[in-house]
Amino acid sequence: MDMIDPWGSSIIDYEKLTEQFGIKAFKDVLEDIPDASKLMTRGIIFGQRDYKRIADSLKNNKEFATMTGMMPSGRMHIGHKMVVDQLKWYQKKGSDIYLSIADMEAYAARGISKEESRELALTEYIENYIALGLDVTKDNFHLYLQSENEEVKNLAYLIGKKVTFSQMRSIYGFDNSTNVAHIYTPLLQVADILHPQLEKYGGPKPVIVPVGPDQDPHIRLTRDLAAKFNDEYGFIEPSATFHRFMTGLTGEKMSSSKPKTAIYLTDSIKDATKKVKSAKTGGRDSLKEQKELGGQPDQCSIYELLVYHLVEDDEKLENVRQKCLSGEILCGNCKQCAVELLTDMFEDLDSKREEAHEIAKDLL
Ligand code: SF4
């Protein structure tokens, strides 16, 4: 069986992933979700574990929590916006939002100090989260540094009692050269996910964890440990959704550490425009061929930008798709349209960032 590495993999074979690791198709629960989001209806969220529980909470206005975390490293790119869109959606549905800044993991896995993590999380990520519309001033929003959350650290220690090194090795591929702090960090992630169910936070409740598929090892370990500690804490096994990664502008996975693949949220409009204009598309080799054969939107990073972030209206999107397939529009026009939409988004973000900075600086 293949192994998923949460610290470095770039998995894109979603079908194989669902087959091998037992992730269920998200479309199976779609009709149970009131007012499903675009990320859901467009298949960007492709997989789930135990989502029925969350759908039931959504339908019947029952309490549930949303939990996610970030390991601050590098700049925030447009692919990261997907998590914010999901948090916003759940926040609007009345869910408590828990957001962990994994500074202990950043230290153990990447050697980033706590101060660097805090600074990077607030200035690069949280400011953008706020500018993108997440309401961090609400009582139901909980932001913390792992290293400063006593409940999380204590819980991580306690649940460690029921995991062996051999299990950790088989899940994560740790070997004799892995430092012990790193071996411990998955337990912190498990505790992050489970702690909203502690008495202090209102006791057991369904929890949804929206993540990329590279985080599934943490989800599986968490669900396993939740079941083992059910008698003691009443933990309900947390649910998860899995979203696709954005293809980078060069055709490989979008990555913070590869500037040519990514549009950063703090890029100038000039730089972002340049990146869009030179992005890899699903266009044909010549104009003549494109007019005859049509383009290939499913292999196009520009079309992906429209689907994931820039076009809200499904009809408009379908229109672009059909025109691309029939060869009626050419990549140059399409890129120009993406630039205009992206410019609107970036101008809006820029206008909100100053206020976002003022709010973010007092959060931790
Ligand atoms: Fe992509 Fe647009 Fe070109 Fe089609 S016409 S391949 S959607 S850039």
Side-chain angles (χ1 to χ4, degrees), residues 281-283 290 295-297 300 302-303 320 324 329-331 334-335:
T281 70
Q290 178 129 353
Q296 304 166 93
C300 176
I302 297 297
Y303 185 69
V320 173
C324 168
I329 47 165
L330 300 174
C331 297
C334 221
K335 282 181 170 177

Side-chain angles (χ1 to χ4, degrees), residues 77-187:
H77 62 60
I78 199 160
H80 295 130
K81 176 176 168 286
M82 267 186 284
V83 172
V84 187
D85 290 339
Q86 293 179 76
L87 295 181
K88 274 165 58 185
W89 190 83
Y90 285 115
Q91 191 174 45
K92 275 204 187 111
K93 297 286 179 194
S95 169
D96 274 17
I97 306 291
Y98 290 83
L99 181 51
S100 162
I101 296 170
D103 60 331
M104 291 176 78
E105 184 182 354
Y107 171 71
R110 306 253 162 93
I112 298 173
S113 72
K114 173 179 168 175
E115 288 67 32
E116 279 175 275
S117 276
R118 183 185 174 280
E119 182 64 18
L120 196 56
L122 290 181
T123 56
E124 184 62 32
Y125 288 82
I126 301 298
E127 275 185 31
N128 279 312
Y129 281 33
I130 298 169
L132 286 166
L134 185 69
D135 190 347
V136 301
T137 61
K138 280 196 166 172
D139 285 346
N140 72 0
F141 179 78
H142 312 266
L143 175 74
Y144 61 90
L145 283 161
Q146 257 175 354
S147 64
E148 292 184 357
N149 188 320
E150 294 307 315
E151 283 84 22
V152 166
K153 285 190 290 183
N154 289 341
L155 189 58
Y157 175 74
L158 292 170
I159 54 182
K161 180 90 170 85
K162 292 197 180 171
V163 196
T164 63
F165 175 64
S166 116
Q167 270 175 294
M168 295 298 265
R169 190 173 43 196
S170 78
I171 299 173
Y172 296 104
F174 293 144
D175 59 29
N176 292 345
S177 67
T178 312
N179 74 67
V180 176
H182 191 178
I183 294 168
Y184 186 67
T185 56
L187 295 176

